[in-house]
Amino acid sequence: MNMMRGAVAFEAEGRERFIRLTTNAQVRYQERAGETLVDAIVAMQGEGSQGDMLRLRRLIWAGMGHEGLSEDAAGDLIDEIGLAEASRLLGDAIRAAFPEAARAEPETGSEDAGGNAPAPAKAKAKPAAA
C-alpha cells in the first residue's frame, strides 16, 4: 500500500487499512459531532473520560472516511481489533496529524517545553459600559 503522510496502517478484516486525520477528516468529525477534533482529544484526556465510546468511534470513523464506512461499521472495526489497539491507532494518528504538538509535549525535568505549540488564548477584555 502506498502510504500518505500522516496515515497509520493496520490490518483488519483480512486486509490492510489506514486511519488518517486529514483536514477533511477533521471537518467530517466537526460536522457530525458539533465539536472540533482538538476539543474531542482534550475531552478524552480528562478524568472520567475512559469509555467515551461515542467519541472514539466517531474519531475512527472520521479518520477512515476514505473508505466510506458508516459509524456502525467503524464500531464493528473497533470490536474486531480491540479497544486497546483502536485507542493506540487513534493516538498514533493524532500524533501524525499534529507533529508540532507532539514535539512540544513537555519532557519530565525539562524547563523549556517550548516547541511550536500555540500559546494559550488570552482572555478578551470586556468592553466598558456605555
Side-chain angles (χ1 to χ4, degrees):
M1 174 181 278
N2 183 11
M3 293 307 293
M4 295 166 276
R5 193 182 113 206
V8 176
F10 65 100
E11 190 170 312
E13 298 171 343
R15 64 189 177 99
E16 191 157 0
R17 323 279 290 258
F18 69 91
I19 182 169
R20 184 173 178 229
L21 297 174
T22 62
T23 298
N24 287 333
Q26 293 178 53
V27 169
R28 189 171 23 259
Y29 178 84
Q30 187 172 353
E31 286 176 339
R32 183 67 61 95
E35 67 180 355
T36 67
L37 183 130
V38 172
D39 287 342
I41 294 165
V42 169
M44 289 179 75
Q45 292 173 342
E47 266 190 60
S49 66
Q50 290 74 17
D52 189 342
M53 298 308 293
L54 177 61
R55 279 190 177 108
L56 175 66
R57 184 183 78 168
R58 200 166 270 168
L59 287 165
I60 297 286
W61 163 81
M64 295 185 69
H66 55 278
E67 291 196 17
L69 295 177
S70 68
E71 284 190 57
D72 281 349
D76 292 342
L77 196 70
I78 292 167
D79 289 341
E80 181 185 331
I81 65 176
L83 187 56
E85 177 67 357
S87 297
R88 184 193 68 77
L89 289 168
L90 182 59
D92 289 351
I94 290 166
R95 283 183 288 282
F98 302 103
E100 298 83 12
R103 281 195 302 270
E105 288 176 8
E107 294 179 25
T108 306
S110 172
E111 281 189 48
D112 180 21
N116 293 324
K122 291 191 166 85
K124 293 181 180 171
K126 292 182 182 173

